[in-house]
Amino acid sequence: MKTKLLSLFFCLFILGGVSYAQETSFLIDMSAGMNQSHNASMSLRGLVSYCINEHVALGAGTGIWYNYRESSEYQVYSDFSLELPVFVNVRGNILKNKGGVTPYYSVSAGLLSPIKRAKYEYSYRDGETNDPNVYFFTRQNEYYKGFFVAPELGVVLNDMSFGVEFMYGPDNCIDTKEEVHYTDYSVFSDSTSEINGKSYVISLKCTIGF
């Protein structure tokens, strides 16, 4: 699936940039919003788009996605993750553009890959046994990855558009390594990886066309 999306991205780039240069455009979009944990989410993406007609344009792009995160175990720990989206896109005007403000739609679908994972480390004693000879040490990495789809609605004004995007689908992943330390310097460790459900982000977007 990932290989097919990457192949489509490069094919669209070459097709748009070489064969149909007079009908292609380059778009840059910026978004700011909130993810399912009510934390800040921002993205910067570039898109090469080939216009079939006023109502349908096909494209592909990539960018970078920033997410502020708090530890799922202890919210006093915070960090951020960075993800790389690779996606295809279809967009167009909903109504015929007669000048002025025109409503549009956009739908993107693709894959997210982690670049930087949010990292947390903390140690604690066992509150039940109160054994002074034992303490626990935990490392956690949290990030997003996997397939996503992102519909969007908004308005076009000259070469700029303003819209609202709803991104849904990437897995909210948590890698955990737990260690039990004893005073005789022996260590027992265990590592797990889990998917803590699907994630979503609601964002305001501004797109500039060139």
Side-chain angles (χ1 to χ4, degrees):
M1 181 65 179
K2 186 174 182 179
T3 303
K4 291 180 180 179
L5 282 171
L6 288 172
S7 299
L8 180 58
F9 169 75
F10 286 111
C11 287
L12 283 170
F13 183 85
I14 294 172
L15 180 66
V18 178
S19 302
Y20 300 96
Q22 71 277 14
E23 298 186 52
T24 60
S25 60
F26 181 69
L27 307 176
I28 293 179
D29 71 53
M30 298 158 284
S31 71
M34 181 181 298
N35 60 30
Q36 79 284 350
S37 301
H38 305 290
N39 292 323
S41 176
M42 295 180 287
S43 72
L44 177 65
R45 290 172 283 188
L47 170 69
V48 175
S49 182
Y50 167 60
C51 182
I52 297 175
N53 57 50
E54 183 180 352
H55 304 291
V56 180
L58 302 177
T62 186
I64 192 165
W65 189 35
Y66 165 93
N67 283 280
Y68 175 81
R69 301 182 67 112
E70 293 178 337
S71 168
S72 58
E73 191 75 22
Y74 298 103
Q75 278 66 42
V76 294
Y77 295 91
S78 63
D79 197 0
F80 67 93
S81 65
L82 294 175
E83 283 79 23
L84 174 73
V86 177
F87 60 93
V88 293
N89 174 269
V90 57
R91 63 194 299 123
N93 294 336
I94 298 174
L95 303 176
K96 186 173 180 61
N97 190 344
K98 297 180 180 180
V101 178
T102 306
Y104 76 92
Y105 73 92
S106 174
V107 180
S108 297
L111 291 171
L112 276 179
S113 300
I115 301 174
K116 177 194 177 300
R117 307 179 183 202
K119 298 181 179 181
Y120 317 103
E121 297 183 353
Y122 36 83
S123 59
Y124 55 95
R125 300 281 184 182
D126 188 343
E128 295 182 0
T129 63
N130 289 316
D131 187 344
N133 299 315
V134 180
Y135 76 92
F136 298 84
F137 185 76
T138 300
R139 292 185 179 93
Q140 279 190 329
N141 294 333
E142 298 188 12
Y143 54 95
Y144 296 112
K145 73 172 184 179
F147 177 80
F148 70 89
V149 61
E152 175 189 348
L153 290 173
V155 294
V156 178
L157 180 60
N158 296 324
D159 293 329
M160 299 184 67
S161 61
F162 304 90
V164 178
E165 179 186 71
F166 179 77
M167 176 189 281
Y168 176 80
D171 295 325
N172 186 21
C173 302
I174 302 175
D175 297 338
T176 303
K177 182 177 182 180
E178 294 184 317
E179 298 177 349
V180 183
H181 292 249
Y182 301 90
T183 52
D184 63 358
Y185 302 105
S186 60
V187 177
F188 171 79
S189 64
D190 181 44
S191 298
T192 59
S193 294
E194 62 177 317
I195 297 175
N196 190 21
K198 297 291 185 179
S199 61
Y200 64 85
V201 178
I202 300 176
S203 301
L204 297 177
K205 285 185 62 178
C206 174
T207 303
I208 304 172
F210 298 91

